Each structure stands twice: as C-alpha cells, then as structure tokens.
Amino acid sequence: MDIGRFYKRAGQAPGEILEKESAAGVTDVRLIRQSGKILDNPDIESFNLKGEQKEGWIWIDVIGLSDIKKVKDVGEKIELHSLILEDILNEGHLPKFEFSEDYKLFILKYPYFDKEKDELKLDHVVLYLKDNLIATFQEGSENHYESMLKKLENPQSTGKSTNAEYLFYRVIDFTIDQYFLIMEYLRNTIESTEDILMEEPNKNQIHVIQLIKKRIVILRKQVNFLKASLGKLLSKEVVFQDESIRMYFTDVYDHIVHVAEMLETAKDMQVALLELNISNVNNSMNRVMKTLTIVATIFIPLTFIAGIYGMNFKYMPELGWEWGYPAILSLMLILAVFMVLYIRRKGWF
Amino acid sequence: MDIGRFYKRAGQAPGEILEKESAAGVTDVRLIRQSGKILDNPDIESFNLKGEQKEGWIWIDVIGLSDIKKVKDVGEKIELHSLILEDILNEGHLPKFEFSEDYKLFILKYPYFDKEKDELKLDHVVLYLKDNLIATFQEGSENHYESMLKKLENPQSTGKSTNAEYLFYRVIDFTIDQYFLIMEYLRNTIESTEDILMEEPNKNQIHVIQLIKKRIVILRKQVNFLKASLGKLLSKEVVFQDESIRMYFTDVYDHIVHVAEMLETAKDMQVALLELNISNVNNSMNRVMKTLTIVATIFIPLTFIAGIYGMNFKYMPELGWEWGYPAILSLMLILAVFMVLYIRRKGWF
Amino acid sequence: MDIGRFYKRAGQAPGEILEKESAAGVTDVRLIRQSGKILDNPDIESFNLKGEQKEGWIWIDVIGLSDIKKVKDVGEKIELHSLILEDILNEGHLPKFEFSEDYKLFILKYPYFDKEKDELKLDHVVLYLKDNLIATFQEGSENHYESMLKKLENPQSTGKSTNAEYLFYRVIDFTIDQYFLIMEYLRNTIESTEDILMEEPNKNQIHVIQLIKKRIVILRKQVNFLKASLGKLLSKEVVFQDESIRMYFTDVYDHIVHVAEMLETAKDMQVALLELNISNVNNSMNRVMKTLTIVATIFIPLTFIAGIYGMNFKYMPELGWEWGYPAILSLMLILAVFMVLYIRRKGWF
Amino acid sequence: MDIGRFYKRAGQAPGEILEKESAAGVTDVRLIRQSGKILDNPDIESFNLKGEQKEGWIWIDVIGLSDIKKVKDVGEKIELHSLILEDILNEGHLPKFEFSEDYKLFILKYPYFDKEKDELKLDHVVLYLKDNLIATFQEGSENHYESMLKKLENPQSTGKSTNAEYLFYRVIDFTIDQYFLIMEYLRNTIESTEDILMEEPNKNQIHVIQLIKKRIVILRKQVNFLKASLGKLLSKEVVFQDESIRMYFTDVYDHIVHVAEMLETAKDMQVALLELNISNVNNSMNRVMKTLTIVATIFIPLTFIAGIYGMNFKYMPELGWEWGYPAILSLMLILAVFMVLYIRRKGWF
Amino acid sequence: MDIGRFYKRAGQAPGEILEKESAAGVTDVRLIRQSGKILDNPDIESFNLKGEQKEGWIWIDVIGLSDIKKVKDVGEKIELHSLILEDILNEGHLPKFEFSEDYKLFILKYPYFDKEKDELKLDHVVLYLKDNLIATFQEGSENHYESMLKKLENPQSTGKSTNAEYLFYRVIDFTIDQYFLIMEYLRNTIESTEDILMEEPNKNQIHVIQLIKKRIVILRKQVNFLKASLGKLLSKEVVFQDESIRMYFTDVYDHIVHVAEMLETAKDMQVALLELNISNVNNSMNRVMKTLTIVATIFIPLTFIAGIYGMNFKYMPELGWEWGYPAILSLMLILAVFMVLYIRRKGWF
C-alpha cells in the first residue's frame, strides 16, 4: 500500500488509467479451473471464459499490479467497469464491498510482516465475483493464496468447493485470518515492551511505543472498514446463489469483530505502556534528584564546618586546642550519621 | 481463555477440527436428569436422548474441553453444526447469542479469581438449548455449576425447574452473578490502592494501577458483548416455549447493565488513581527539591563567608581583630536564621 | 446505598429473600388516606385495601428496609411480584421504570448530604402505583417526604391531589428537586476549591478534587439512568388514567435534563480544577528551582574566587599587595551585582 | 442567568409562583402593533387582545422579570399555562421548543459581553406565539430587540412583516446572530492569548485559558440545546400558518450549526493553548535547570582544585614552585574553556 | 475564507445584501458553452440564457466575489433566491448541499497551500445547477478550474460531457481531489517533524505541532460537512436527469471518506508527535539533571576532603607526614573512580 499514490489522480478524468507508469513491475496472470487445471500466464485475448465457466468455477488470479496494460486487458476480458478498474489500480483504496445484480466486489488488504525490514505491510487485494467466475487482483509479487489453494486441491478437504461463492468466501476468510497473526505479533511486541519497562525502568521506550501506536492506527482503519464492508455483505439486499453461504459469512463477521476487539485492547495496552513509560522517566529523574540531594545535604554542611576552621583569624581558640581536630572530625561524623538517618527515615533510599 | 490460541486456525478449512492437540487434557461428561439422576461419563454412543427427553429436561454437562474427540462425539450426538463445535473449542470466543427455530446458543465467560496466582480467569462456557435438552461446555477442570446444581436438587428450592429454558436461564444468571463477585474484588483492590496512595504518598503504585486497568479492559470487553447478547436474546424475534421466562431474562439484563455501570465507575476510579499517583510522584520530587534547596540556600552563602576569611592576603584587618572570629560566627548565625525564616514564610516546610 | 450488598445474592435462587439479615434495623409503615387520616404502623394483616381505595387514593409509606419480614408482609398484601420485592430490597439497584397493564414501578435514589460526615448519601426509594394505591419504600430511618406531605395536607395547596397518579408524580418531582440542591452544593465546593487554587497556589488540592470527581461519577450514573427511566415513562406505550399528567412528567423530564447538563458542566469544571492544580504544583516546583539556582549562581563563583586566594602557593603576588583584599572584595561585589541583574532580566523574580 | 436560583423551587408545588421575591426589580411592558403604534406600560387589565389582533400582529414585549406579579398578570391575560409561566420565571432554564395546536414556545438565551465587568452574560428570553399575538419575556433591564425593532419600523425594510410567525423568526434569528458576535470575541481572546504564549513564553496564562474554557463550556451547553430546539421546530409535526417561513428557519438552523462548529474549533484551540502553556512552563523550568547546571559544572571542579592547594600539608612540592600559581590558574582556565565547549556542543545555550 | 466576516450580518434583515463593501475587489464573469466558445465578462443584462441552454450545457463561472453588485446581477439573471445569494457572499459558510425540484446547490471550499505565506487557504466555492445551466462562484482572483476546463475542451477526453450534471460532478470531484494534495502536504509536514524529533531530540517542536493541529482542525470541519453533504446528495430523494451519474457521485463519496480517514490518521499522528515532543523535553531535562548530579556527586565530597586539610588546627598529625599529600590525593582519586563506577552502574551515561 502506498498512500502517497492516490493523490496523483487529482485532475485526471475519472476512469482514465495512468499508462505511463506501467513499465516498472511484473504482473502474473493465473487461470485455475475447478478441475484443478492451472494455466500460468495464458493468452488472455484468445480465452473463452463463457465456455470455461460451464465446467464449474473458474478463478483468474492476477498477481502484481504493476503492468497496468495487462491488468487492463484482464479487466476488459471480464468486462469490468472502468471505475472498478480504477479501484483495483488504486493500491491505497480502503476496504469496500460493492454489489449489483451482476457482480460482487470486495476490496481489502492482505496484512503481513516483512520480517527483514520489520515492517507491517498491507497488500491491496480486490475480489470480483460474477456468476461462476472469480477474479482476484493482488498487489506485490507474491501469491498470498498459494497455501490456501493447496488445501482446495486436496481431495479430502472439507470445503464444499463446487461454487464460486464459496471460493469468494474462502479468500476473504483466509485474508481475515491473517489479521489474527498480525494481532498475535502486535501482542508479543506489546508484552515484551511491557517486560522491558518493568525490568529496566531506566530505558526510555517511547519510540517503540510510538511504533506500536502507528501500527494500531493503520490496522484500526482497515479493520473498521472491513467490518462495515462485511456488515453490508450480510445485509438482506445482497442475494447469493446458495443462501447457505450466509452462515459462513456470519462466521467471518464474528472473526473481524473479534479482531476489532483485540485492536481496542491493544490500544488500551499501548496507552498503558505510555503511562508506564512516563512514570519510568519521572522515576528515573526522581532518583537522580534524590542522589544529588543526598550528596549535597550531607557534604555541603560538612564543607561549611571545614571552611570555618580554615579561616585565618588570629584569635580562634579552638585551633589551639590539642583535641580540636579530632573533636571537629567527630562532630562531622555525628552530623553525617544524623543526616543519613534523617534521609533514610524519609524513605529516599 | 487463551487468546493466543485462536489464530492457529488461520489457514484451516472452516469447521475442520484440530485433532492432534486432543491428547493433553481430560474431558468429563455428565448427564443430569430432571429426576435428579446423575450419570458420570456415560457411554455417549449408546445413549438415547430422544427417549430421555420425554421424562422432563435433560442436562449434558461437559467439563473440560481438552479431549477434542470426546467433545466432538457429544456434539455429533446432539447434532451440533460444525461451526458451533468450532465456537465451543475456540476458547477465546467473545460472548454471543445465536438462535434458530431449532436451537438457542449462548457463549459467555465464567469469571473467577485464581487466588494462588492472583490472576483473573475467564473460563469459556457454551450453552446449547434444543427442546428439552440443555448442553453446557465448560473450559477448565472444575465444574463451576456444582453449587447451583445442589440448589436445584433441593426439593424446597423456589425455582420452577420443570423446563429446560428455566435451566438455561439459571446457568446464565448464575454466571453473571459471578461478575458481581469480581467487581467486588476489583472495588476492594481499588480502594486499598487508594488508601495506600493517601497514606504513603511516597510509594509509586503505577504497577498496581496498570494491573487494575488491564482487568477492567478485559472485563469491559466481556460485559459489553454479554449485554449485546442478552439484548438480542430479549428481542421479539426470539420465541420461548414458556414466554413468562422473558421476565427473568429482563432481570438478568438489568444485572449485566448494573455490572457494566460498575465497570464504568471502576474505570473512572482507576483514572483517578492514576492522577493521584502522578500527583504523589510530583509531590515527592517537589519535597526532594525543597530539601536540596533549603540546605543549599542556607549553607552555600555561609561557606562563601568562611571562604573569604580563609584567603591568605597579607593585609586583611579583620583577621587581626580580637573579636573578629566571634563576630563572623554571629553574622553567619544571623544570616542562617534569616534564611530559615524566609524559607518558612514561603511555606516550604 | 450499599453497593457491596448486591453480590451477596450470587448463587441464590431468583426471588428468594435473605431473611436471616432482617433483625438489624427497624421498618415503619404508615398509611395515609386522601382524607388526611394517617395511620402509623397499622396492622397490615387485617387491612382491607380494596375497600379503602374507593374513598380516594391511599398511600402506604414504608420507611426503612431493614425489617425484611415486615417489608415482605406489605409486599404480599399489595400483591407484589417476587422480583419487584427483590428490587425493593436490593438497595444498590439502579433507577428504573417498569410498567404493565396493572402497575407502574419507579426505582430511584433520594440524594442528600450527611453534613456531619460530609458524605453524599443516596437513599434507595421505590414507588409502586396500582389503581388508586401508591406504595413507597424508603431506605434509611428518616421519612424524606414529610415536608412534601405537609404541603399536600394544606387545603390551599395548588396541587390537584385527587388522583394517585398525581401523588406518584409529586414524589418523583420532589426527589428530583433534591438533585438541584446537591448540584448547588457541588457547585459551591467546586467554586471554593477554585478560589483556594487561585489564592493559595502552594496548596495541593488533589484530594478535594478527587472527592468532587467521585461524587460527579456517582451522580452521573444515577442521573443518566433516571433520564432514561423518565424517557421510558413518557413513551406512548405507557397509559395514564388522566392523560393531562403527562405534561407534568414532561416538566420533570426537563428538570432531570437540566441536572444532567449541570453535571456535565461540573465535570468540565472538575477537569479544569485538576489542570489548575497541576499547574500550581509545577509552578511551585519552578519557584523552588529558581531560588536554588539564584543562590547557587551567585555564590558558587564567588566561593571559587575566595578559594583561589586561599591557596598556599609561595609566589602569589596579589596576596602581598596592600589593596589586594579590598580589590578582590570589590570584584566579588561587582560579579554578584552583575549576576543579580542578569537573573532579573531573565524575569526570574 | 442565575443557575443558583433554580433549586429554590425544591419542595414547592409545581406551578406555584414565589411571590415574596417580587419586590426587588422593575418590569416594563410594551405593546407594539404592526401599524407601528407602541404603548409603554399599558394597563394590562383593561386590554382587549382579541380585538387588537384583527388589525395585524401584536407584540407584547416584557422587559425585566423581577416584578413577578406583573409578569403573572401579563401571563394570565394571554392565558399562559402555569408551567409555562414557571419556565419564564426560571431564569436558568435551558433552551427549549415546545408546541401544541394553539401555541409555540421558544426559550433561549440572549448572549452579550458586559465589557465593564468583562463577563459573559446570558439573558433569559422566552418567546410565545399564539395566532397573531407574539409575547417576549426578557431578563434584565435592557431591551435587547430595540435595534431590531427600528429596522422593522423602517418602511424600506425588506422584511415581509405581515405575520406574527415572521416576527417570531426575526427575534430568534436576531438572538442567534448575537452568538456570532460572542464567538468573534472569544476568537480574539484565544488569538491574543496565543500571541502572548508565543512571544512571552515565561508568562503563565493558565488563568486566562481556564476562563476561556469556562465560557466555551457555558456556550456549548446553550448552543447544543438551541440546535436541538431548532431541529424540533423544523420537524414536520410543527405546522406554520405560512409554510414558506420554514425556509427561513432552515437558514437559522444553518447558523446555529455554524456556531456549534465554531465552538468545537474554539474548544480545540483552547486545548492547544493549554498544551502550549504546559510546554512553556516546562521550557522555563528547563532553562532554569540549565543555568544552574552550567554554573555548577564549571565552578564546582575549579573550586575543588583551589581547595587542594589550600590544604596545609607540609610537603606539597607544587606550592614551592615559582610558576605553580600561574600554572594552576592556566589549568583552571583550560578546564573552564573545555567545560564551556562541552556544554555548548550539547546545545544548552 | 474569513470567519470573522460572518458576524457582521448580525442585525441585518435576512436576504439583505451589504452593498457598501462592494468597491474593494474585482469580479470576473465567464460564460462557457458546451461548444467550447468562451465569453469573458459578457454583458449580463442583455444575455438570453434560455436560448443558450438549448444548444447544450452552459457554464457561468464567476471568479472573485468582491464586486457584490456584479454577483448580485448574475444572481438575478439566473433567478437565485435571496438566501442563496446570501450564502454565496458569506465566504465562511460551511459545506452544504441543498436541493429542490428546480435546482441543486453545493457549497464547498477549494483548498490549496499559499506557499509564499506557508498558509492553508480555503476558497469559498458555490455550485448552482438548474436544468442545463451550471453556475459556479469562486472566492479569490484565481480561476481554480482552469486546468479542469482544458481537459474538458480536449476532444479525446474520456468525459461524457454532454450534460450539465456531469459538469456539476466534475467540479465537485476536482475540488475534492485537491484535498488529497493537501493531505499529502500535511503528511510530509508530519513526517519531517517526526524526523526532527527523532534526530534532534533537543529541539522543541511545539509550535510546528500546534500548527499541524490547527490545520487538521480546520480541514476536519470542512471534510465532515462535505461528507454529510455528499451523503445527502446521494439520498434517494435527490433526482438526477441521468441516473447513471449516481455511480460517479458514489465514487466521489468514497474519496471524501478516504480523506476523512486520512485526517483521522493525521490526527493520531499529531497526538503522537506531541507525546514524542513532551518525551524529548523531559529527556532533555533529565540529561541536564544527570550532568549536574554527576559533577556534584563527584566533586562535592572531594572538596570536602580538601576542606578538612585546609583547616588551621595546630595539632593535625597528617599535615606533618611526608606522604600525607600524595596519600590524600590518592584517596581522592580512588573516591572519584568509585563514584564514577557507581554512577555508570546506575546507567546514567
């Protein structure tokens, strides 16, 4: 997701595609049939989708959105409206569900952690369902649904995969399950930060806490829109070929509600971390001040006494006393002990 | 409740059960008849539920959810949908009420304090009601409804226990009553923390306050979802065999509203504790600074005076005066007294 | 109100009354007829309510809820449902309005300040209206409606007191009027605290502010539920014998909305007090630090100079100069004056 | 507006008027006819309103609410319900719109700044519309609608002043326009406070900021209730003689929404001022601490060195060296320069 | 936008225009026909709009609102209601959508950055659509839709520009696209501020953060009202000549929702900046305090020791020892090393 990109459209006519940028990346197209036959990068032009669909569902999986021309070709083949195509290519688009009598469109983000860069990534994914055809458009070069596909191919799979709607559900469900993984990761970060704040109260963790906050903010935006989109999908206006699928979407909705709750908890915990960190910083300062005060409170009066007997008055009788020096040293010792006791009673160390 | 568990399902087909983990714990099944006859761990396979139900309500109490195979067997016997079974086994599931013409499903958490570990525990409980059959599934090895059952068996009990719906109500009511106990415990913690903050303002209670906050956050999530679930249960779409039970559920709803209010109050009090703690920390720092300033303000000028008469100039007439030394000592004393008075007028001690 | 009490019911069958505790206090029953005839502690058993009601309204006023047996007897006489009786005895119950074709039930709190203990008290009051019978149940040994009753008895009273519904309204109206007195008290506390914070900025008022906050939190809970209850009472589903009473309840509703607004204002003011207090504490610390810095900034350099001429080097030409001592003293004076000017320009005192 | 007054009613029968207080102030009654004829303090008793109304609208303008008897007389003449009269005399009443088939009642506050006392004043104004009669009741001795009236009398006025409803609208519109003046005043205060905080960061502006906050709180309460009242006035249940007036009320509603938005902005700005002030106070403390640290860091080590050579050991070879003194002075100088450089690199001054 | 202006209307009759101020600026009127023919400052009086409209849409573009007379003339020509004219001239008006059977009115702000003054500007723009006539009124001397117009004239433009409604959409869409540019600018400011706070933690960025906050507050107000206005435009009550335009407005609505979300994120980030800044200021103070404490903790005790041996007692045996001086120096060194180690273990530097 590149939030910065969106605004470049400003001033363009709606539905107009920015073809100049299409050279940069690669776009792979995959065609998967219910029978299990997979075609990599087929010749889109000569493809007969109508004929295909009779043999069960067909899945067009577009991986990478950089080759805008190719994406556009696929879009034309499956008769996408130009505004939908625009939504597909706008990688910062918020989650949305849109439907008409003909088609269902679901936009969401596939979240994962890029562990090398320690970065939260949100890959733009668009699902388009029309009769028995499902088309998915994924940002990034990796196919996020590889492992899910393997399960589908497995003949013992419990999934009743005879319907494109079920596939539509599976892809959404699989994507939302990723949010649990992300939440788990976030929870670990929060807990380890809490441990550091508890055990090493001198370490200022403000930057880590801010990073956590940023991630919560980003995820919350996604999850809230996802929740609204799924709620819309579940409304009675939306008609499914097989209405029993509705129960599965209700289940997905429960999941996203759970993720939303986890995020709220994470938010509360992040605020608690911030409070803890502030408390630590204040305590650390407090300890520094106490050390200074203890040292100063003990030694400044003693130094003053030493200063008195360092004066050069001619007539200072104590200076001539034989026991003057040890007496003064003893006085100083008594004073110091008294000071230490006084400070200790105040509970400073 | 193990929040961490949920996400393991990611990538699994929906309704698929993770059987590999089933070895760890134990699951006890109990069959209680209205007549009072109790069967521990009966042979589920050979059991004739339909016949049993004619003789009044029948309660299948499943304690412990570790033996997934056993739970699954019970589920199959009472014809649970695979998604409900999944909800039963997902111990982090949020409270929910679900109903169809056939069944009513209530998911909630039984809260209690593990006093040894000083930990707030929330045990996952699922209630399933179908005709005159009620099934409960409890997380953990302890039967939380033992004492409630004893009351039911008591012939003088005021409960009109002739109906499974009434039992359904009693289990929910009993569980929600536990939240009052938890709230009482929380209130005590808050009040004792407040007492400490009032009486020992030097003690930083941030960790205790954070713990209180955490518990409020966890409980709030549960209670909010409980409230929504009970609200749904009370809606007119839900049909009961005996409609007079509705008044009892309204009563339960009042209770959960009360718990929710108590939590809001607890939240406000926790914020007040935090403010009090910050105030204490600041005051403590203030006192330290004042001590330092008092000591420094009195002795630094005196030391300076002593320093002057410690200089080795040849021509310092005061040094030769007979009354120089006592005069300077008196001057110092006057200065010190003046300083003390000045500070006292400023109200520093 | 004893919040702690509620949870004791946990585990009890619903509607079951805890009779063991009934010994502690006293319960007075009063029977007031429209004619003005008052019976104190009548023999409830032998009483013929049906006959009485024909002669106009009749008011059963139960003062003190400690003698549970007596309360129960009254309840049985006027045919209260066991759940209503439970609500009467649960002194921590939140405000609620409940109605059926037969009866109207209003639960609220009578607020007052116990000036001796400087405590905000909320006495549990339950109103039960059925045909021309009104029953009130009051917590505490004092009859809160004594003065209101005197007004009613007054023949010149403008109240058209021919209907039990009007009496029902008058009791609620009178109770809600008490909230204005409480708000007035709260406003005075807030304003006097503000005055102290303005005039004696050294005094930390955190404990007073926290107490104000606590009271606002408690009152807010009551007032919000009262508002909702009155809103429900005003809904079209509720039928009155004399519909013109509705206008009076609308007036009461306006009052509680006003109280709610006053509470919001009080909340805002309390937050402002907190900010002011924090500002005062910071300023006080600031002043302490400035004093320390001024003293140190002036005297530490001077002491250093004195230290230099206290050194015992053999060859220190200044020491031999006749004007060395006065010169050094002058230098110190100039330095001190310069320092004072520098500090003053910085605006520190 | 005297918030304190309201509670005095507690215990009074509803609709009962407190006549004892009526001696204090003056109440002026003015009768304005559409023809432009104005009667000051007419004899209310002998007045024939019905006859008057046939000749176009008639406006009864009551200025000052202190002479309760007079207000009551007017009220009786125009057949006000006793509860409406109570609302008129309750000067702390919140804005409200009330209507029946017969009449329309609008309660609001006329806001203005008493520049002498630098106080925000809210004068209670009640509008009562019945057929072609409009009655206004204003708190305070000043007639706030004098200038508006002048405009009406002006024959070139664009106002189509043939209808009492239009007059009703004009008074409300004129009153709400005053809120813009108040907002402007508030905005100026906020901006000038911001300027002071920017340019004189040593000045603590907490009291000014608190005053701004207080005013926002008071205004927000009024404006929110005004918005709700106007919304109610615009609902379809309210019937106007001339429905084209609705467009004008929509315009007024837009204005009050605008004021509400301005208040939200003012609130945000006030919070920003608070943050800025805290930042200033902290910075000021920071600067003080830095000064102290710089002085101490430079001179304490130097004083120590001087202290060493002030010791009276017999065998201290340096003391006898001819160049000892200048060498030590140079060492001190180097040390001081090094310290200054170190501190400057840290960016402390 | 000049918020201050609005209130000047106070006291004016509604719909009355303030003509006195009309001398100041310039107002350009442009008439654009679908055919591409553009007339600059045509003679409005003699213009036949009805005839023109038959030849396709016609666009009257009024640039600059200072010449009130001219604006009024245009308004009269196209038969604007006086309240609409007032809205056009009130440059602080909030975004609003208004419609009747005859016309559609859209008020919004065109946002841009005045880079020279580094100021966020919001130019008041009013769109008025009636049959095939569209009129736009823009504040400021610049024509903001110049570049959009160029695109329209371009024959290869994808826009189906045969309908005034489409033009109405394009102007709104183009204006809302500007908000993305502003958000981008804001995001850059936030990120660069964050970088400064990370890399130069000594620099207090409070003024920059406050400026960001102010801009967010201003934009949020606009965007919220824009969202509500577009929502109203999309409601079923609004009828379009060509209903297929609705899909385009849905798209615009999605955009403004996206902007609103970006603003929420920006708000969260701004709060994070504030927290970071506070943390930096505290850390900076902490470092200063540590430096002071380190210096004082090491040198004050050493100075005290030196002070002891600076005393002038006759009988101080150490002073006579040959190795006294080096021994004491060594003791001091050991003490200093110990202190440094102690401080280092505490993690202070």
Side-chain angles (χ1 to χ4, degrees), chain D residues 147-148 151 157-159 166 169-170 173-174 177-178 180-181 184 187 194 197-198 247-248 250-251 254-255 257-258 261-262 264-265 268-269 271-277 279-280 282-283 285-286 289-290 292-293 296-298 300-301 303-304 307-318 339 342 346-348, chain E residues 2-4 6-7 9-16 81-84 86-87 90 92-94 96 98 103 202 204 206-207 210 213-214 217 220-221 225 270 274 277-278 281-282 284-285 287-289 291-292 295-296 299-300 302-303 305-307 309-312 318-326 328-329 332:
Chain D
S147 65
M148 195 200 81
K151 276 224 153 270
S157 161
T158 55
Y166 183 75
Y169 150 70
R170 281 299 294 274
D173 184 50
F174 186 84
D177 280 353
Q178 305 309 312
F180 285 100
L181 288 166
E184 183 61 21
R187 204 175 61 109
E194 196 183 4
L197 286 171
M198 290 285 194
M247 190 172 183
Y248 287 88
T250 310
D251 193 51
D254 277 5
H255 291 183
V257 165
H258 200 163
E261 270 312 301
M262 280 166 147
E264 288 314 299
T265 306
D268 284 326
M269 289 304 141
V271 170
L273 288 185
L274 201 70
E275 290 165 0
L276 201 55
N277 194 57
S279 170
N280 276 352
N282 281 343
N283 280 339
M285 188 128 163
N286 231 336
M289 291 306 306
K290 277 180 188 166
L292 173 60
T293 305
T297 306
I298 295 174
I300 288 183
T303 304
F304 165 62
I308 284 179
Y309 293 103
M311 293 194 294
N312 298 321
F313 285 102
K314 254 186 190 145
Y315 307 101
M316 284 178 75
E318 301 98 316
M339 283 298 195
Y342 174 79
K346 284 221 172 181
W348 287 2
Chain E
D2 176 10
I3 292 169
F6 198 103
Y7 75 96
R9 205 189 72 86
Q12 299 300 122
E16 204 180 337
H81 191 283
S82 65
L83 285 174
I84 293 179
E86 209 189 336
D87 286 351
N90 172 8
H93 204 292
L94 291 169
K96 162 167 106 163
E98 207 180 277
Y103 67 91
N202 277 326
N204 192 337
I206 184 78
H207 295 309
Q210 295 281 29
K213 181 176 185 171
K214 239 184 218 170
V217 164
R220 200 141 62 145
K221 184 156 80 171
F225 276 78
Q270 182 262 325
L274 201 69
N277 194 57
I278 289 171
V281 169
N282 282 343
S284 157
M285 188 129 162
R287 272 193 304 274
V288 171
M289 291 305 306
T291 309
L292 173 60
V295 168
F299 287 103
I300 288 182
L302 299 185
T303 305
I305 293 173
Y309 294 103
M311 294 194 295
N312 298 320
E318 300 97 318
L319 296 181
W321 298 349
E322 201 164 337
W323 299 107
Y325 177 53
I328 267 317
L329 282 190
M332 283 170 171

Side-chain angles (χ1 to χ4, degrees), chain A residues 148 151 157-159 166 169-170 173-174 177-178 180-181 184 187 194 197-198 247-248 250-251 254-255 257-258 261-262 264-265 268-269 271-277 279-280 282-283 285-286 289-290 292-293 296-298 300-301 303-304 307-318 339 342 346-348, chain B residues 2-4 6-7 9-16 81-84 86-87 90 92-94 96 98 103 202 204 206-207 210 213-214 217 220-221 225 270 274 277 281-282 284-285 287-289 291-292 295-296 299-300 302-303 305-307 309-312 318-326 328-329 332:
Chain A
M148 195 200 82
K151 274 223 154 274
S157 161
T158 55
Y166 183 75
Y169 151 69
R170 282 299 296 275
D173 184 51
F174 185 84
D177 280 353
Q178 305 309 312
F180 285 100
L181 288 166
E184 183 61 22
R187 203 174 61 109
E194 197 183 5
L197 287 172
M198 290 283 195
M247 190 171 185
Y248 288 88
T250 311
D251 193 53
D254 277 5
H255 290 184
V257 166
H258 200 163
E261 271 311 302
M262 281 166 146
E264 287 315 300
T265 307
D268 284 325
M269 290 303 141
V271 171
L273 287 186
L274 202 69
E275 290 165 2
L276 201 57
N277 193 57
S279 170
N280 276 351
N282 282 344
N283 281 338
M285 189 128 160
N286 232 335
M289 291 305 305
K290 277 180 187 165
L292 172 60
T293 305
T297 306
I298 295 174
I300 287 181
T303 305
F304 165 62
I308 284 180
Y309 294 104
M311 293 193 295
N312 298 320
F313 285 101
K314 258 188 187 143
Y315 307 101
M316 283 178 75
E318 300 98 318
M339 284 298 194
Y342 173 78
K346 285 222 172 179
W348 287 3
Chain B
D2 177 9
I3 292 170
F6 197 102
Y7 74 95
R9 205 190 71 85
Q12 299 302 121
E16 204 179 338
H81 190 285
S82 64
L83 284 174
I84 294 180
E86 208 188 337
D87 286 352
N90 172 9
H93 205 293
L94 290 169
K96 163 168 105 164
E98 206 180 277
Y103 67 90
N202 277 326
N204 192 337
I206 183 79
H207 295 309
Q210 295 281 28
K213 182 177 185 171
K214 240 185 219 171
V217 164
R220 197 140 65 145
K221 185 156 80 172
F225 276 81
Q270 181 262 324
L274 201 69
N277 193 58
V281 169
N282 282 343
S284 156
M285 189 128 161
R287 272 193 304 274
V288 170
M289 290 306 306
T291 308
L292 172 59
V295 168
F299 287 102
I300 288 181
L302 299 184
T303 304
I305 294 172
Y309 294 104
M311 293 193 295
N312 298 321
E318 300 97 319
L319 295 181
W321 296 348
E322 203 164 334
W323 298 109
Y325 177 53
I328 264 325
L329 281 189
M332 283 172 171

Side-chain angles (χ1 to χ4, degrees), chain C residues 30-46:
Chain C
R30 251 182 154 192
L31 201 143
I32 305 149
R33 291 194 190 86
Q34 185 165 8
S35 59
K37 221 173 87 185
I38 296 181
L39 280 182
D40 275 312
N41 287 315
D43 181 6
I44 299 158
E45 294 302 321
S46 66

Side-chain angles (χ1 to χ4, degrees), chain B residues 194 254 272 283 289 312 318, chain C residues 96 210 289 309 311 325:
Chain B
E194 197 184 2
D254 277 5
N283 281 339
M289 290 306 306
N312 298 321
E318 300 97 319
Chain C
K96 163 168 104 164
Q210 296 281 29
M289 289 307 306
Y309 294 103
M311 293 195 294
Y325 178 52

Side-chain angles (χ1 to χ4, degrees), chain D residues 6 27 91 94-95 142 157 176 183-184 208 220 246 267 333 344-345:
Chain D
F6 198 103
T27 293
E91 293 166 356
L94 291 169
E142 212 184 325
S157 161
I176 284 169
M183 286 316 300
E184 183 61 21
V208 178
R220 198 141 65 145
R246 202 177 282 275
K267 177 83 205 129
L333 192 68
R344 178 162 287 171
R345 217 194 51 202

